[in-house]
Amino acid sequence: MRPLLFGEVLDGSFQAIRRNAKAMLGAGLLAQSLSAILAAVLTGVFATSSGSIEAWARTASNTDIASLGFGLMATFVLLSILSVFITVVLQGGMVVPVARSVLNQPTGFRRMLSLARPRFGSLIRLAALLVAAVLATAIVFVAVVVLLFSNVRGAGALLVIPLMLAFGAGFLWVAVKLMVAPAAVVIEELGAFAGLRRSWKLTRGNWWRIFGITLVVGILVAVITQVVLIPASILPTVLSGVVSPHGGSGQEATLAVAVGIFTAVVGALVGAVGYAFQTSVMALLYMDLRMRRDGLDIALLHQLENGADPDGIPGRGAHPGNNRPYPGYGAPPGAWPYGG
């Protein structure tokens, strides 16, 4: 219960998952279930109807192909929006077991849902705000690109790349600034707009630290995921040569469906662990920021000593300005002994 160093954030995330495996991994599986189910269904559809799709493509007109493309694009956008809503709600819920693990309070899946359920409405509104902001940004970007090409013509292509880089950098900067908004909404019982403002304030002066930790964790999860999924990706070739070396198209389709479902399940399990770990890191970063800015660790020590509300969420009643700041608050990043 003090401001955390990088290694302590990683270790604390692993400990939170280990102590609250049902809650963290269960929520992670829910977050990954949509993509896993979609991958399994698409694999089955394409494997069993590849011949009919090829025949349709030979006779389809340009209008039919364009309609199919727009339909697929609309489906992708809708699924992406749904995924954002699920992600924000589950991230907010998964903050609960991480916060309770700070005081060594185990949390099951049902307990996590019961504690986070009153904040689901605010989390949904937060997700709606984020989706609206992303869509508005995308529309503005497309409009600017269209104006460039319509007015500047050939020279507009030279401006698109730096424009894309500028939009990407701005998006990344804002994303880091708003990273802990779901945690603030749940722990501090804030509304959607107040949660965004709170996240913006908490991350002030810590952008590079948060970005560095998030980047390292993302690379770590991506490498481990690929190491696990690479054997699953070469499984179809191995099985087709061993199980059915001379099989017909029917056997190949059945094998492709089985392998696709197996790969989707493995991907969901691995993704759930990675998602739980990344969300746990985000929650611990939120707790760390509040310890540095609000002296939350002092409030948690008082709560631990008094045994107040053992079934609640630690930090919920500790509002900004009510606690004495941590002794290292205000020290330069990296200053001993508080390490930035």
PDB file of all heavy atoms in Angstrom, residues 3-13 209 212-217 220 277 281 285 292 339-340:
ATOM      1  N   PRO A   3       2.983   3.946  -3.347  1.00  0.00           N
ATOM      2  CA  PRO A   3       3.235   4.081  -4.773  1.00  0.00           C
ATOM      3  C   PRO A   3       4.123   2.957  -5.288  1.00  0.00           C
ATOM      4  O   PRO A   3       5.105   2.570  -4.665  1.00  0.00           O
ATOM      5  CB  PRO A   3       3.926   5.449  -4.866  1.00  0.00           C
ATOM      6  CG  PRO A   3       3.356   6.209  -3.723  1.00  0.00           C
ATOM      7  CD  PRO A   3       3.193   5.203  -2.617  1.00  0.00           C
ATOM      8  N   LEU A   4       3.769   2.422  -6.467  1.00  0.00           N
ATOM      9  CA  LEU A   4       4.377   1.197  -6.968  1.00  0.00           C
ATOM     10  C   LEU A   4       5.432   1.483  -8.023  1.00  0.00           C
ATOM     11  O   LEU A   4       5.309   2.415  -8.819  1.00  0.00           O
ATOM     12  CB  LEU A   4       3.297   0.296  -7.570  1.00  0.00           C
ATOM     13  CG  LEU A   4       2.127  -0.063  -6.653  1.00  0.00           C
ATOM     14  CD1 LEU A   4       1.073  -0.825  -7.417  1.00  0.00           C
ATOM     15  CD2 LEU A   4       2.613  -0.868  -5.457  1.00  0.00           C
ATOM     16  N   LEU A   5       6.474   0.650  -8.027  1.00  0.00           N
ATOM     17  CA  LEU A   5       7.455   0.647  -9.095  1.00  0.00           C
ATOM     18  C   LEU A   5       6.969  -0.258 -10.212  1.00  0.00           C
ATOM     19  O   LEU A   5       5.983  -0.990 -10.072  1.00  0.00           O
ATOM     20  CB  LEU A   5       8.808   0.186  -8.564  1.00  0.00           C
ATOM     21  CG  LEU A   5       9.400   1.016  -7.416  1.00  0.00           C
ATOM     22  CD1 LEU A   5      10.718   0.406  -6.947  1.00  0.00           C
ATOM     23  CD2 LEU A   5       9.597   2.462  -7.827  1.00  0.00           C
ATOM     24  N   PHE A   6       7.683  -0.241 -11.347  1.00  0.00           N
ATOM     25  CA  PHE A   6       7.253  -1.009 -12.519  1.00  0.00           C
ATOM     26  C   PHE A   6       7.157  -2.505 -12.216  1.00  0.00           C
ATOM     27  O   PHE A   6       6.144  -3.153 -12.521  1.00  0.00           O
ATOM     28  CB  PHE A   6       8.227  -0.769 -13.683  1.00  0.00           C
ATOM     29  CG  PHE A   6       7.965  -1.646 -14.873  1.00  0.00           C
ATOM     30  CD1 PHE A   6       6.817  -1.465 -15.634  1.00  0.00           C
ATOM     31  CD2 PHE A   6       8.852  -2.646 -15.224  1.00  0.00           C
ATOM     32  CE1 PHE A   6       6.562  -2.269 -16.735  1.00  0.00           C
ATOM     33  CE2 PHE A   6       8.604  -3.460 -16.316  1.00  0.00           C
ATOM     34  CZ  PHE A   6       7.460  -3.259 -17.072  1.00  0.00           C
ATOM     35  N   GLY A   7       8.185  -3.053 -11.595  1.00  0.00           N
ATOM     36  CA  GLY A   7       8.164  -4.475 -11.276  1.00  0.00           C
ATOM     37  C   GLY A   7       7.056  -4.830 -10.304  1.00  0.00           C
ATOM     38  O   GLY A   7       6.460  -5.914 -10.396  1.00  0.00           O
ATOM     39  N   GLU A   8       6.744  -3.925  -9.391  1.00  0.00           N
ATOM     40  CA  GLU A   8       5.679  -4.186  -8.433  1.00  0.00           C
ATOM     41  C   GLU A   8       4.308  -4.151  -9.100  1.00  0.00           C
ATOM     42  O   GLU A   8       3.389  -4.868  -8.697  1.00  0.00           O
ATOM     43  CB  GLU A   8       5.751  -3.162  -7.298  1.00  0.00           C
ATOM     44  CG  GLU A   8       6.996  -3.317  -6.436  1.00  0.00           C
ATOM     45  CD  GLU A   8       7.203  -2.155  -5.484  1.00  0.00           C
ATOM     46  OE1 GLU A   8       6.756  -1.036  -5.810  1.00  0.00           O
ATOM     47  OE2 GLU A   8       7.810  -2.365  -4.424  1.00  0.00           O
ATOM     48  N   VAL A   9       4.156  -3.325 -10.133  1.00  0.00           N
ATOM     49  CA  VAL A   9       2.900  -3.312 -10.879  1.00  0.00           C
ATOM     50  C   VAL A   9       2.677  -4.656 -11.570  1.00  0.00           C
ATOM     51  O   VAL A   9       1.582  -5.227 -11.523  1.00  0.00           O
ATOM     52  CB  VAL A   9       2.898  -2.163 -11.902  1.00  0.00           C
ATOM     53  CG1 VAL A   9       1.697  -2.272 -12.838  1.00  0.00           C
ATOM     54  CG2 VAL A   9       2.883  -0.816 -11.201  1.00  0.00           C
ATOM     55  N   LEU A  10       3.733  -5.179 -12.205  1.00  0.00           N
ATOM     56  CA  LEU A  10       3.618  -6.476 -12.881  1.00  0.00           C
ATOM     57  C   LEU A  10       3.343  -7.594 -11.882  1.00  0.00           C
ATOM     58  O   LEU A  10       2.448  -8.431 -12.088  1.00  0.00           O
ATOM     59  CB  LEU A  10       4.895  -6.778 -13.671  1.00  0.00           C
ATOM     60  CG  LEU A  10       5.254  -5.816 -14.804  1.00  0.00           C
ATOM     61  CD1 LEU A  10       6.480  -6.316 -15.542  1.00  0.00           C
ATOM     62  CD2 LEU A  10       4.091  -5.645 -15.760  1.00  0.00           C
ATOM     63  N   ASP A  11       4.107  -7.619 -10.789  1.00  0.00           N
ATOM     64  CA  ASP A  11       3.919  -8.665  -9.791  1.00  0.00           C
ATOM     65  C   ASP A  11       2.540  -8.565  -9.148  1.00  0.00           C
ATOM     66  O   ASP A  11       1.869  -9.582  -8.927  1.00  0.00           O
ATOM     67  CB  ASP A  11       5.010  -8.557  -8.726  1.00  0.00           C
ATOM     68  CG  ASP A  11       4.876  -9.629  -7.660  1.00  0.00           C
ATOM     69  OD1 ASP A  11       5.066 -10.822  -7.988  1.00  0.00           O
ATOM     70  OD2 ASP A  11       4.575  -9.291  -6.501  1.00  0.00           O
ATOM     71  N   GLY A  12       2.100  -7.332  -8.854  1.00  0.00           N
ATOM     72  CA  GLY A  12       0.778  -7.155  -8.264  1.00  0.00           C
ATOM     73  C   GLY A  12      -0.327  -7.603  -9.197  1.00  0.00           C
ATOM     74  O   GLY A  12      -1.351  -8.140  -8.750  1.00  0.00           O
ATOM     75  N   SER A  13      -0.138  -7.414 -10.506  1.00  0.00           N
ATOM     76  CA  SER A  13      -1.144  -7.863 -11.472  1.00  0.00           C
ATOM     77  C   SER A  13      -1.254  -9.374 -11.480  1.00  0.00           C
ATOM     78  O   SER A  13      -2.364  -9.931 -11.489  1.00  0.00           O
ATOM     79  CB  SER A  13      -0.784  -7.346 -12.870  1.00  0.00           C
ATOM     80  OG  SER A  13      -0.721  -5.934 -12.884  1.00  0.00           O
ATOM     81  N   ARG A 209       5.204   7.695 -18.120  1.00  0.00           N
ATOM     82  CA  ARG A 209       5.305   6.519 -17.250  1.00  0.00           C
ATOM     83  C   ARG A 209       4.181   5.531 -17.566  1.00  0.00           C
ATOM     84  O   ARG A 209       4.420   4.317 -17.708  1.00  0.00           O
ATOM     85  CB  ARG A 209       5.238   6.952 -15.788  1.00  0.00           C
ATOM     86  CG  ARG A 209       5.254   5.797 -14.805  1.00  0.00           C
ATOM     87  CD  ARG A 209       5.359   6.327 -13.376  1.00  0.00           C
ATOM     88  NE  ARG A 209       5.258   5.227 -12.422  1.00  0.00           N
ATOM     89  CZ  ARG A 209       4.107   4.819 -11.908  1.00  0.00           C
ATOM     90  NH1 ARG A 209       2.980   5.428 -12.245  1.00  0.00           N
ATOM     91  NH2 ARG A 209       4.083   3.821 -11.063  1.00  0.00           N
ATOM     92  N   GLY A 212       4.771   4.004 -21.047  1.00  0.00           N
ATOM     93  CA  GLY A 212       5.850   3.022 -21.054  1.00  0.00           C
ATOM     94  C   GLY A 212       5.422   1.696 -20.455  1.00  0.00           C
ATOM     95  O   GLY A 212       5.690   0.622 -21.020  1.00  0.00           O
ATOM     96  N   ILE A 213       4.734   1.745 -19.320  1.00  0.00           N
ATOM     97  CA  ILE A 213       4.278   0.501 -18.686  1.00  0.00           C
ATOM     98  C   ILE A 213       3.274  -0.210 -19.576  1.00  0.00           C
ATOM     99  O   ILE A 213       3.340  -1.430 -19.782  1.00  0.00           O
ATOM    100  CB  ILE A 213       3.669   0.807 -17.307  1.00  0.00           C
ATOM    101  CG1 ILE A 213       4.751   1.306 -16.348  1.00  0.00           C
ATOM    102  CG2 ILE A 213       2.984  -0.435 -16.734  1.00  0.00           C
ATOM    103  CD1 ILE A 213       4.223   1.736 -14.995  1.00  0.00           C
ATOM    104  N   THR A 214       2.336   0.545 -20.143  1.00  0.00           N
ATOM    105  CA  THR A 214       1.327  -0.057 -21.016  1.00  0.00           C
ATOM    106  C   THR A 214       1.956  -0.666 -22.254  1.00  0.00           C
ATOM    107  O   THR A 214       1.558  -1.757 -22.703  1.00  0.00           O
ATOM    108  CB  THR A 214       0.291   0.998 -21.419  1.00  0.00           C
ATOM    109  OG1 THR A 214      -0.252   1.608 -20.249  1.00  0.00           O
ATOM    110  CG2 THR A 214      -0.838   0.376 -22.218  1.00  0.00           C
ATOM    111  N   LEU A 215       2.933   0.016 -22.829  1.00  0.00           N
ATOM    112  CA  LEU A 215       3.599  -0.495 -24.027  1.00  0.00           C
ATOM    113  C   LEU A 215       4.351  -1.783 -23.731  1.00  0.00           C
ATOM    114  O   LEU A 215       4.244  -2.773 -24.483  1.00  0.00           O
ATOM    115  CB  LEU A 215       4.559   0.561 -24.572  1.00  0.00           C
ATOM    116  CG  LEU A 215       5.366   0.170 -25.820  1.00  0.00           C
ATOM    117  CD1 LEU A 215       4.428  -0.089 -26.992  1.00  0.00           C
ATOM    118  CD2 LEU A 215       6.373   1.261 -26.168  1.00  0.00           C
ATOM    119  N   VAL A 216       5.112  -1.807 -22.640  1.00  0.00           N
ATOM    120  CA  VAL A 216       5.865  -3.014 -22.286  1.00  0.00           C
ATOM    121  C   VAL A 216       4.920  -4.181 -22.015  1.00  0.00           C
ATOM    122  O   VAL A 216       5.141  -5.313 -22.472  1.00  0.00           O
ATOM    123  CB  VAL A 216       6.762  -2.742 -21.064  1.00  0.00           C
ATOM    124  CG1 VAL A 216       7.386  -4.033 -20.563  1.00  0.00           C
ATOM    125  CG2 VAL A 216       7.845  -1.741 -21.428  1.00  0.00           C
ATOM    126  N   VAL A 217       3.839  -3.922 -21.296  1.00  0.00           N
ATOM    127  CA  VAL A 217       2.871  -4.987 -21.002  1.00  0.00           C
ATOM    128  C   VAL A 217       2.211  -5.476 -22.284  1.00  0.00           C
ATOM    129  O   VAL A 217       2.019  -6.686 -22.473  1.00  0.00           O
ATOM    130  CB  VAL A 217       1.818  -4.475 -19.997  1.00  0.00           C
ATOM    131  CG1 VAL A 217       0.658  -5.458 -19.865  1.00  0.00           C
ATOM    132  CG2 VAL A 217       2.455  -4.246 -18.642  1.00  0.00           C
ATOM    133  N   LEU A 220       4.692  -7.651 -24.121  1.00  0.00           N
ATOM    134  CA  LEU A 220       4.844  -8.913 -23.397  1.00  0.00           C
ATOM    135  C   LEU A 220       3.674  -9.849 -23.672  1.00  0.00           C
ATOM    136  O   LEU A 220       3.859 -11.043 -23.974  1.00  0.00           O
ATOM    137  CB  LEU A 220       4.961  -8.626 -21.903  1.00  0.00           C
ATOM    138  CG  LEU A 220       5.118  -9.833 -20.969  1.00  0.00           C
ATOM    139  CD1 LEU A 220       6.421 -10.562 -21.247  1.00  0.00           C
ATOM    140  CD2 LEU A 220       5.054  -9.400 -19.506  1.00  0.00           C
ATOM    141  N   PHE A 277      -4.655  -9.740 -17.492  1.00  0.00           N
ATOM    142  CA  PHE A 277      -3.397  -9.155 -17.038  1.00  0.00           C
ATOM    143  C   PHE A 277      -3.323  -7.670 -17.380  1.00  0.00           C
ATOM    144  O   PHE A 277      -2.944  -6.841 -16.530  1.00  0.00           O
ATOM    145  CB  PHE A 277      -2.227  -9.905 -17.679  1.00  0.00           C
ATOM    146  CG  PHE A 277      -0.878  -9.376 -17.292  1.00  0.00           C
ATOM    147  CD1 PHE A 277      -0.456  -9.397 -15.974  1.00  0.00           C
ATOM    148  CD2 PHE A 277      -0.033  -8.844 -18.247  1.00  0.00           C
ATOM    149  CE1 PHE A 277       0.787  -8.898 -15.615  1.00  0.00           C
ATOM    150  CE2 PHE A 277       1.210  -8.345 -17.899  1.00  0.00           C
ATOM    151  CZ  PHE A 277       1.615  -8.378 -16.577  1.00  0.00           C
ATOM    152  N   VAL A 281      -3.240  -4.508 -14.730  1.00  0.00           N
ATOM    153  CA  VAL A 281      -2.210  -3.463 -14.755  1.00  0.00           C
ATOM    154  C   VAL A 281      -2.862  -2.087 -14.761  1.00  0.00           C
ATOM    155  O   VAL A 281      -2.444  -1.177 -14.032  1.00  0.00           O
ATOM    156  CB  VAL A 281      -1.292  -3.646 -15.974  1.00  0.00           C
ATOM    157  CG1 VAL A 281      -0.401  -2.422 -16.168  1.00  0.00           C
ATOM    158  CG2 VAL A 281      -0.430  -4.897 -15.809  1.00  0.00           C
ATOM    159  N   LEU A 285      -2.442   0.722 -11.892  1.00  0.00           N
ATOM    160  CA  LEU A 285      -1.965   2.062 -12.220  1.00  0.00           C
ATOM    161  C   LEU A 285      -2.904   3.124 -11.655  1.00  0.00           C
ATOM    162  O   LEU A 285      -2.458   4.175 -11.161  1.00  0.00           O
ATOM    163  CB  LEU A 285      -1.842   2.221 -13.738  1.00  0.00           C
ATOM    164  CG  LEU A 285      -0.638   1.550 -14.395  1.00  0.00           C
ATOM    165  CD1 LEU A 285      -0.712   1.683 -15.904  1.00  0.00           C
ATOM    166  CD2 LEU A 285       0.663   2.147 -13.877  1.00  0.00           C
ATOM    167  N   ARG A 292      -0.341   8.408  -5.161  1.00  0.00           N
ATOM    168  CA  ARG A 292       0.612   9.490  -5.361  1.00  0.00           C
ATOM    169  C   ARG A 292      -0.044  10.862  -5.224  1.00  0.00           C
ATOM    170  O   ARG A 292       0.581  11.808  -4.738  1.00  0.00           O
ATOM    171  CB  ARG A 292       1.264   9.368  -6.747  1.00  0.00           C
ATOM    172  CG  ARG A 292       2.170   8.153  -6.898  1.00  0.00           C
ATOM    173  CD  ARG A 292       2.612   7.956  -8.347  1.00  0.00           C
ATOM    174  NE  ARG A 292       3.410   6.738  -8.481  1.00  0.00           N
ATOM    175  CZ  ARG A 292       4.732   6.687  -8.386  1.00  0.00           C
ATOM    176  NH1 ARG A 292       5.409   7.797  -8.153  1.00  0.00           N
ATOM    177  NH2 ARG A 292       5.382   5.550  -8.516  1.00  0.00           N
ATOM    178  N   GLY A 339      10.810   6.290  -6.361  1.00  0.00           N
ATOM    179  CA  GLY A 339      10.939   5.795  -7.709  1.00  0.00           C
ATOM    180  C   GLY A 339       9.810   6.159  -8.631  1.00  0.00           C
ATOM    181  O   GLY A 339       8.695   5.789  -8.399  1.00  0.00           O
ATOM    182  N   GLY A 340      10.024   6.862  -9.704  1.00  0.00           N
ATOM    183  CA  GLY A 340       8.941   7.254 -10.569  1.00  0.00           C
ATOM    184  C   GLY A 340       8.575   6.242 -11.568  1.00  0.00           C
ATOM    185  O   GLY A 340       7.623   6.403 -12.264  1.00  0.00           O
TER     186      GLY A 340
END
